[in-house]
């Protein structure tokens, strides 16, 4: 059973020249808190609680609405404003992911810096525990910086609590942001517990930090032309080869269905939820509202069950992007890679053998099934208390990253083959054919990443790191809108609201001035 993670809201005030008795009587305050080891532990738990922001947790599938995997029919900020973004409408005043990632990450980083400052001055903890807590907090800070780094490139580096004198900060070069982030990760790897996900109860561990480090190394492992950088690939492979203690879950879906997540040997780190105290709207979003609509080209990417390429799907008469759901139904999914039926539904979602009609419009005729709860009663609506954890890192991604690094360095070796075939075997798919060239294996690896990790928030960043985003996204022909990706979109603009209030110290990214 999940262990409920309670967290508190800690009220922190800046120092003042006036001594006012403003400490509340009904909740912890800076005047009464930070006194005991339990206070410190609760404060650390609160920093983990920040990870429950939509964009880090149950909005994760919406990141794929920025890719060739799916379309987001809702032009609303809470879903990332992806409808505008895929059309190239990105500017300093944009909402959705463009503004919320920046503002949310820096707000969460500010909380972590307050915690680290208080921890440093606290003398009531064993030094080993104190170092462990620092490692967890710095790993969390690196996690938020990973989004700032990949989203904006040059951002302020904030390592101390802000004051009235230091609240306005200039951007730092992208290389310095990367180094700061990686220094935090390296400290975490050196000092985190060498425990499994289930043993750590939702906290960062050494192996999870190593896997995340490899993810960030690989993000920098291709040059502007998309050619691999051998030193980076070697670095990533070394880190990945050190990861032990994990294996694939018996079933692909065990990683996403909340009743199976706690015992999955594959999950390395997740954002935890437990009803009724901490819940999401995930089932309503994806089953009933169809916040994510898988595109036909994505579904066609799934191979047939015998491993041959997927055939074209029938389109509704007169449409370029809507599936003909009269001739292709949920039953038709059985002819494909079994992961397809565990990832999407056609027209109606299926829970425990019963079909339910989605409430919103169905732009492509398909919806997202991957994360739906089989232990809650459909039809899903406002009263549905979704509690599935949102996976940040799982062992399948480690195998995929290892295969990628190995193939780029040494070609399609036995290690590359075994890493991919382990995942395909679990899925019920035949192994890759022998004798693949390096280029062919690269295509196969990228195919497996798209299929295996769909809607887990990786596709958008994969396209950016491979430097294929412009080519792939501008070629999308089966979406309700016209995709447009420009070179400048590899980075986003700093929100104009932040530029305006930073008294000239914070400058806009060059392509958005």
């Amino acid at each position: 059973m999940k262990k409920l993670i309670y967290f508190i809201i800690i009220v922190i005030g800046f120092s003042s020249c006036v001594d006012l008795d403003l400490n509340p009587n009904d909740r912890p305050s800076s005047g009464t808190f930070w006194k005991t080891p339990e206070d410190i532990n609760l404060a650390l738990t609160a920093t983990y609680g920040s990870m429950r922001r939509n964009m880090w947790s149950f909005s994760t599938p919406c990141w794929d609405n920025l890719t060739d995997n799916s379309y987001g029919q809702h032009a609303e900020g809470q879903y990332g404003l992806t409808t505008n973004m895929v059309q190239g409408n990105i500017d300093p005043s944009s909402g959705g992911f463009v503004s919320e990632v920046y503002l949310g990450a820096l707000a969460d980083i500010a909380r972590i810096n307050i915690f680290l400052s208080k921890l440093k001055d606290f003398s009531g903890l064993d030094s080993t525990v104190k170092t462990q807590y620092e490692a967890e907090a710095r790993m969390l800070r690196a996690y938020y910086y990973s989004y700032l780094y990949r989203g904006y490139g040059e951002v302020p580096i904030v390592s101390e609590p802000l004051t009235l004198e230091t609240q306005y900060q200039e951007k730092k070069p992208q290389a310095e942001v990367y180094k700061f982030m990686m220094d935090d990760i390296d400290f975490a790897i050196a000092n985190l517990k060498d425990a499994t996900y289930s043993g750590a109860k939702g906290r960062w561990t050494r192996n999870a930090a190593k896997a995340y480090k490899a993810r960030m190394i690989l993000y920098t492992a291709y040059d502007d032309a998309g050619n691999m950088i051998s030193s980076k690939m070697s670095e990533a492979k070394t880190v990945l080869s050190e990861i032990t203690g994990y294996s694939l879950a018996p079933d692909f879906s065990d990683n996403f269905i909340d009743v199976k997540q706690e015992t999955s040997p594959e999950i390395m780190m997740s954002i935890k939820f437990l009803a009724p105290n901490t819940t999401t709207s995930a089932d309503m979003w994806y089953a009933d509202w169809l916040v994510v609509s898988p595109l036909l080209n994505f579904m066609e990417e799934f191979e047939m069950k015998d491993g041959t390429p997927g055939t074209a799907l029938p389109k509704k008469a007169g449409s370029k992007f809507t599936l003909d759901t009269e001739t292709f139904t949920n039953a038709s999914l059985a002819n494909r890679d079994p992961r397809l039926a565990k990832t999407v539904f056609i027209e109606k979602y299926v829970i425990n053998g019963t079909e339910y009609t989605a409430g919103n419009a169905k732009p492509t005729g398909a919806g997202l099934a991957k994360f739906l709860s089989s232990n809650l009663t459909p039809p899903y609506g406002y009263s549905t208390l979704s509690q599935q954890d949102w996976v940040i890192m799982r062992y399948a991604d480690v195998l995929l990253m290892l295969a990628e690094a190995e193939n780029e360095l040494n070609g399609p070796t036995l290690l590359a083959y075994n890493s991919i075939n382990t995942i395909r075997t679990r899925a019920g798919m035949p192994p890759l054919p022998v004798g693949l060239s390096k280029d062919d294996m690269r295509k196969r690896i990228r195919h497996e990443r798209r299929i295996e990790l769909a809607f887990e928030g990786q596709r958008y960043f994969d396209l950016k790191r491979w430097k294929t985003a412009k080519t792939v996204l501008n070629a999308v022909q089966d979406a309700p809108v016209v995709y447009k990706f420009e070179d400048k979109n590899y980075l986003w603009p700093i929100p104009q609201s932040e530029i305006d209030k930073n008294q000239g110290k914070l400058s806009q990214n060059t392509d958005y001035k």
Side-chain angles (χ1 to χ4, degrees):
M1 180 178 292
K2 294 183 181 179
K3 179 181 179 181
L4 175 59
I5 298 181
Y6 292 98
F7 66 95
I8 60 173
I9 299 174
I10 301 168
V11 181
I12 306 294
F14 292 120
S15 60
S16 171
C17 297
V18 182
D19 185 14
L20 297 177
D21 183 12
L22 296 177
N23 290 338
N25 295 317
D26 61 342
R27 62 185 183 273
S29 73
S30 58
T32 61
F33 202 68
W34 307 109
K35 303 297 184 183
T36 68
E38 181 61 18
D39 289 346
I40 300 296
N41 186 42
L42 286 171
L44 177 59
T45 304
T47 64
Y48 278 98
S50 296
M51 299 180 80
R52 296 191 181 104
R53 286 182 186 271
N54 290 9
M55 64 194 141
W56 315 136
S57 60
F58 72 97
S59 286
T60 296
C62 296
W63 284 92
D64 279 32
N65 289 343
L66 296 175
T67 77
D68 53 340
N69 280 359
S70 58
Y71 167 72
Q73 64 177 311
H74 300 90
E76 298 179 28
Q78 67 174 324
Y79 310 121
L81 210 66
T82 56
T83 307
N84 277 356
M85 292 180 67
V86 294
Q87 297 177 83
N89 299 326
I90 299 175
D91 59 55
S93 62
S94 293
F97 285 142
V98 172
S99 62
E100 292 304 314
V101 169
Y102 189 90
L103 298 173
L106 285 177
D108 294 339
I109 288 165
R111 293 186 182 94
I112 292 168
N113 287 338
I114 291 171
F115 170 80
L116 288 169
S117 176
K118 296 294 185 179
L119 177 68
K120 181 180 178 180
D121 295 336
F122 188 78
S123 59
L125 277 176
D126 176 82
S127 60
T128 301
V129 175
K130 193 172 183 177
T131 302
Q132 162 75 18
Y133 285 2
E134 180 183 356
E136 291 184 51
R138 290 180 64 174
M139 188 62 219
L140 283 169
R141 185 168 67 184
Y143 172 75
Y144 296 128
Y145 262 107
S146 74
Y147 280 90
L148 292 173
Y149 174 79
R150 291 177 294 179
Y152 311 92
E154 297 182 348
V155 294
I157 294 177
V158 186
S159 60
E160 300 288 341
L162 296 175
T163 67
L164 293 176
E165 290 74 29
T166 64
Q167 62 180 308
Y168 304 117
Q169 299 213 5
E170 70 279 2
K171 297 189 304 183
K172 297 298 183 182
Q174 196 167 3
E176 291 186 26
V177 177
Y178 180 80
K179 182 180 184 304
F180 179 76
M181 173 182 64
M182 298 305 277
D183 284 347
D184 271 353
I185 295 177
D186 285 340
F187 182 88
I189 290 172
N191 295 287
L192 286 172
K193 289 182 179 179
D194 191 12
T196 61
Y197 164 83
S198 58
K201 303 298 182 184
R203 296 195 172 194
W204 283 101
T205 64
R206 182 170 300 161
N207 278 314
K210 286 180 179 179
Y212 206 81
K213 178 179 181 178
R215 177 179 288 176
M216 297 315 301
I217 294 171
L218 285 178
Y219 192 79
T220 67
Y222 295 87
D223 63 21
D224 290 341
N227 300 310
M228 76 97 173
I229 301 171
S230 59
S231 60
K232 289 285 188 177
M233 287 294 174
S234 295
E235 184 184 3
K237 181 185 172 183
T238 297
V239 174
L240 292 164
S241 299
E242 295 173 352
I243 295 173
T244 59
Y246 288 88
S247 61
L248 296 185
D251 190 277
F252 169 76
S253 296
D254 290 352
N255 298 295
F256 316 110
I257 307 302
D258 69 85
V259 295
K260 296 289 189 72
Q261 288 177 315
E262 288 300 303
T263 57
S264 171
E266 184 174 343
I267 298 176
M268 304 181 73
M269 181 60 189
S270 73
I271 302 168
K272 300 181 80 66
F273 290 86
L274 183 62
N277 298 82
T278 55
T279 63
T280 77
S281 301
D283 290 291
M284 181 175 65
W285 275 25
Y286 302 116
D288 189 66
W289 290 4
L290 273 76
V291 171
V292 168
S293 295
L295 295 175
L296 270 65
N297 84 83
F298 165 72
M299 292 185 282
E300 290 170 347
E301 180 76 7
F302 285 78
E303 299 167 11
M304 309 308 290
K305 285 193 71 173
D306 62 1
T308 56
T311 57
L313 298 180
K315 296 181 178 67
K316 188 176 180 179
S319 175
K320 293 182 178 180
F321 54 81
T322 303
L323 188 67
D324 179 358
T325 56
E326 296 293 326
T327 59
F328 193 90
T329 66
N330 280 318
S332 306
L333 299 175
N335 298 321
R336 305 256 172 170
D337 180 329
R339 287 172 290 187
L340 180 58
K342 296 175 181 180
T343 301
V344 308
F345 64 83
I346 307 302
E347 192 73 14
K348 299 180 179 182
Y349 61 96
V350 183
I351 301 297
N352 298 324
T354 301
E355 288 189 328
Y356 299 88
T357 301
N360 269 14
K362 308 168 186 67
T364 68
L368 179 57
K370 189 170 185 176
F371 308 99
L372 300 187
S373 298
S374 58
N375 60 311
L376 299 179
T377 304
Y380 301 128
Y382 284 104
S383 62
T384 304
L385 302 180
S386 302
Q387 63 170 6
Q388 59 270 67
D389 298 337
W390 289 89
V391 178
I392 294 175
M393 181 64 64
R394 59 187 177 99
Y395 188 62
D397 195 3
V398 171
L399 292 176
L400 289 165
M401 290 190 290
L402 184 59
E404 179 177 346
E406 173 67 7
N407 185 61
E408 294 299 334
L409 289 168
N410 304 309
T413 65
L414 185 61
L415 175 60
Y417 266 99
N418 286 345
S419 298
I420 293 296
N421 285 337
T422 298
I423 294 172
R424 289 177 63 85
T425 299
R426 190 265 297 273
M429 292 297 291
L432 295 179
V434 298
L436 293 176
S437 67
K438 181 176 181 177
D439 287 345
D440 287 339
M441 177 60 87
R442 181 185 298 116
K443 293 176 183 177
R444 293 285 189 149
I445 291 169
R446 294 183 180 186
H447 161 83
E448 287 296 327
R449 286 193 65 84
R450 188 181 183 191
I451 297 304
E452 178 73 22
L453 303 177
F455 308 108
E456 295 178 47
Q458 297 307 309
R459 178 68 173 170
Y460 179 66
F461 296 112
D462 279 348
L463 294 177
K464 287 175 68 174
R465 69 187 180 88
W466 293 328
K467 306 304 188 291
T468 60
K470 185 176 180 180
T471 300
V472 170
L473 297 182
N474 290 344
V476 172
Q477 299 293 320
D478 58 350
V481 297
V482 177
Y483 279 40
K484 181 181 180 181
F485 189 96
E486 301 178 75
D487 288 333
K488 69 177 184 179
N489 299 146
Y490 274 101
L491 293 177
W492 297 343
I494 303 294
Q496 190 61 43
S497 60
E498 295 302 293
I499 300 289
D500 293 342
K501 70 185 183 185
N502 267 268
Q503 300 186 349
K505 285 196 172 183
L506 187 62
S507 60
Q508 185 55 266
N509 284 344
T510 303
D511 289 330
Y512 296 95
K513 289 183 177 179

